[in-house]
Amino acid sequence: MTYRDLGGLEGQALENLIARTVAHYAADPSVASFEWKTRGHDLPTNLAERLAAHGLVPEESETVMLGEAALLAVEVPLPAGVQLRRIDNQPDPLPDLVRAAAAQDRAFSIKIPSGVEDFVRRLKNGRDSIEYWIAEIQGEVVSTGRLEVVPGTEFAGVWGGGTVAEWRGKGIYRALTAERAKSAVQRGVRFLHSDSTEYSRPILQRSGLLAVTTTMPFIWTRQ
């Protein structure tokens, strides 16, 4: 769940909104979890405490980065043997999506495999505005990331960027981000934004993107 703002809701009205949201997803047995994405500038200032009181669990805070796509659309050298490839624009992307989902779980140390369903759902819902990219070596996917263009705007997001631990620090994430930025520029995108971890924030910052706020996901999980 994400939004521009909460329209000034506070007190009991906000409590009711949170309760209705939880009840909505809880009533759908196909939903195992959902994310309420908060930002550091959200009002009221006690939103985090209210979400926690309704059983939503906070994850680590990330930094929202924003800047010109052209700043990232540069040539980045890759380690020998590593290749970058877009995988959604092929007749049957599913095998590569499965491999990418597994690599993303490794990159983010997800102990319970998240599966490929989210990748497939995003691609189905945004076929003309989403791209999936991977970095691989000798058939092993070592980094993943996607580009999501916001229709009708000059903005796109670079999301899901993660590199497995043993391949970090070799420029792969930066190269994969550069390829996504080049594709964005070709699509007419001017600005890129990203929710960045402690690993990706310095890379984007050195490229000229600015930190504009923070974000912290709150996760509800079916018991």
Side-chain angles (χ1 to χ4, degrees):
M1 174 178 174
T2 188
Y3 44 82
R4 182 186 298 272
D5 58 52
L6 290 171
L9 286 180
E10 57 184 21
Q12 191 58 49
L14 179 57
E15 289 288 331
N16 293 342
L17 173 64
I18 298 172
R20 289 198 308 271
T21 302
V22 172
H24 170 78
Y25 289 109
D28 184 348
S30 68
V31 175
S33 66
F34 76 87
E35 173 186 313
W36 185 306
K37 197 171 189 65
T38 68
R39 271 84 176 186
H41 57 272
D42 274 346
L43 294 175
T45 57
N46 64 350
L47 175 60
E49 290 83 355
R50 291 177 179 272
L51 292 172
H54 284 266
L56 283 82
V57 178
E59 294 192 333
E60 291 187 14
S61 177
E62 296 180 340
T63 304
V64 179
M65 306 295 293
L66 176 66
E68 297 268 355
L71 295 173
L72 293 173
V74 297
E75 296 299 324
V76 179
L78 282 165
V82 175
Q83 295 182 324
L84 306 183
R85 185 162 58 92
R86 182 179 168 186
I87 61 173
D88 61 280
N89 58 347
Q90 54 184 316
D92 181 14
L94 185 58
D96 279 336
L97 289 174
V98 170
R99 295 166 60 238
Q104 189 176 76
D105 285 350
R106 287 175 58 202
F108 291 102
S109 301
I110 298 175
K111 295 180 174 59
I112 300 174
S114 56
V116 72
E117 291 82 5
D118 182 61
F119 279 38
V120 173
R121 177 182 58 80
R122 289 180 185 276
L123 185 57
K124 180 180 178 180
N125 292 339
R127 187 75 196 190
D128 296 327
S129 59
I130 189 169
E131 299 177 6
Y132 279 104
W133 289 78
I134 60 172
E136 59 185 344
I137 181 167
Q138 296 180 346
E140 177 191 2
V141 178
V142 297
S143 187
T144 67
R146 69 182 188 272
L147 173 73
E148 291 192 21
V149 178
V150 182
T153 76
E154 294 182 294
F155 284 82
V158 283
W159 303 105
T163 304
V164 299
E166 59 268 32
W167 283 92
R168 290 175 188 156
K170 303 179 186 298
I172 297 175
Y173 169 80
R174 184 167 173 246
L176 196 63
T177 302
E179 288 304 305
R180 288 180 285 169
K182 293 175 190 176
S183 183
V185 171
Q186 290 175 356
R187 284 171 170 260
V189 169
R190 181 179 178 187
F191 300 105
L192 289 178
H193 63 99
S194 173
D195 294 351
S196 299
T197 66
E198 60 180 312
Y199 301 107
S200 59
R201 178 192 54 76
I203 297 171
L204 299 181
Q205 207 158 22
R206 286 194 295 269
S207 297
L209 270 65
L210 301 176
V212 294
T213 188
T214 58
T215 180
M216 179 180 290
F218 278 75
I219 307 297
W220 174 87
T221 303
R222 186 177 300 280
Q223 301 298 317

